[in-house]
Amino acid sequence: EDQVTQSPEALRLQEGESSSLNCSYTVSGLRGLFWYRQDPGKGPEFLFTLYSAGEEKEKERLKATLTKKESFLHITAPKPEDSATYLCAVQARTGNQFYFGTGTSLTVIP
Amino acid sequence: DTEVTQTPKHLVMGMTNKKSLKCEQHMGHRAMYWYKQKAKKPPELMFVYSYEKLSINESVPSRFSPECPNSSLLNLHLHALQPEDSALYLCASSLGPGGGEQYFGPGTRLTVT
């Protein structure tokens, strides 16, 4: 059964304190893995798509990496405005549904 | 432009009311989605439209009725809802049904009284 697990559930960081969020997945043939940022009461904002193991994508302080079993979202020197829930989703080769993880709620303290 | 718009932003309705949610995109995307999201939970897929045809209905109660009038518009008609249907309703679109990133709208916050 296709499954996505994110950890930790919540993370509090001091401003400038780098860390990583984890997304572990089991899927019968990965079509793509997607990272989103969601602010309270708003729709998810697309960040990255990763398609194959070894792939990396970067955007400002965020860097996403992918292995055959998991993806990491690395946050370098975070700022308070990086506070949000980060969602991971996977899409299998068969079908077009997204399977979302439960998200990591990130709080960056000034 | 990767914008998906949704109206209204907020909706309060009684259990006997009929209302509709509207979603629009002008990115030329041919797949559109409705999701329901409860607080502190991930989005939960409700419906998928591919090339204006309903392709997935995730066993959603009939009090939710989707409609895709054209390739840019997606509606969700609501009737006889229950208080537990209160949630953030999200619309998304993707280039095609076969895969790729989905772009989400800002959502409609629905409260059923």
Side-chain angles (χ1 to χ4, degrees):
Chain A
E1 182 181 316
D2 298 336
Q3 196 170 340
V4 182
T5 304
Q6 288 187 249
S7 62
E9 191 174 312
L11 181 62
R12 288 172 66 89
L13 298 173
Q14 289 292 134
E15 184 172 0
E17 179 188 1
S18 301
S19 188
S20 296
L21 313 183
N22 177 264
C23 172
S24 298
Y25 65 91
T26 54
V27 65
S28 49
L30 179 71
R31 182 190 298 275
L33 184 142
F34 307 88
W35 282 100
Y36 287 85
R37 169 196 170 123
Q38 187 172 26
D39 293 300
K42 298 189 176 180
E45 175 191 345
F46 170 72
L47 293 174
F48 303 111
T49 305
L50 300 166
Y51 291 108
S52 56
E55 193 174 358
E56 298 182 353
K57 294 270 179 77
E58 281 189 72
K59 179 180 178 181
E60 295 180 357
R61 294 177 292 283
L62 300 177
K63 179 180 176 180
T65 61
L66 181 65
T67 72
K68 288 187 178 178
K69 293 185 178 180
E70 57 191 350
S71 176
F72 292 94
L73 185 65
H74 308 277
I75 303 177
T76 302
K79 299 182 177 182
E81 53 262 42
D82 295 322
S83 298
T85 294
Y86 290 86
L87 292 165
C88 164
V90 298
Q91 189 171 45
R93 286 207 188 94
T94 54
N96 59 358
Q97 290 159 276
F98 270 25
Y99 296 96
F100 277 95
T102 50
T104 293
S105 176
L106 174 67
T107 303
V108 182
I109 305 158
Chain B
D1 182 13
T2 55
E3 190 178 27
V4 177
T5 59
Q6 290 187 243
T7 54
K9 289 186 178 178
H10 302 276
L11 178 62
V12 179
M13 59 185 290
M15 289 190 283
T16 58
N17 291 158
K18 286 186 181 180
K19 296 286 184 184
S20 297
L21 310 184
K22 180 179 172 181
C23 172
E24 196 164 0
Q25 58 88 13
H26 294 288
M27 296 178 278
H29 288 179
R30 301 314 300 269
M32 296 184 77
Y33 310 79
W34 279 116
Y35 288 86
K36 172 183 177 180
Q37 187 176 28
K38 294 281 217 177
K40 300 192 184 301
K41 297 287 187 183
E44 184 182 324
L45 183 66
M46 300 174 72
F47 302 105
V48 181
Y49 272 83
S50 298
Y51 295 93
E52 296 133 64
K53 287 187 174 18
L54 183 65
S55 63
I56 294 177
N57 175 340
E58 290 286 357
S59 302
V60 178
S62 60
R63 57 186 185 268
F64 295 92
S65 174
E67 179 197 17
C68 190
N70 60 55
S71 60
S72 300
L73 281 174
L74 188 65
N75 298 320
L76 186 63
H77 303 297
L78 313 173
H79 173 55
L81 295 191
Q82 304 296 310
E84 59 265 29
D85 296 322
S86 298
L88 182 67
Y89 286 83
L90 295 163
C91 174
S93 70
S94 65
L95 187 60
E101 53 266 20
Q102 296 180 14
Y103 293 91
F104 286 80
T108 293
R109 171 68 62 190
L110 174 67
T111 303
V112 182
T113 60

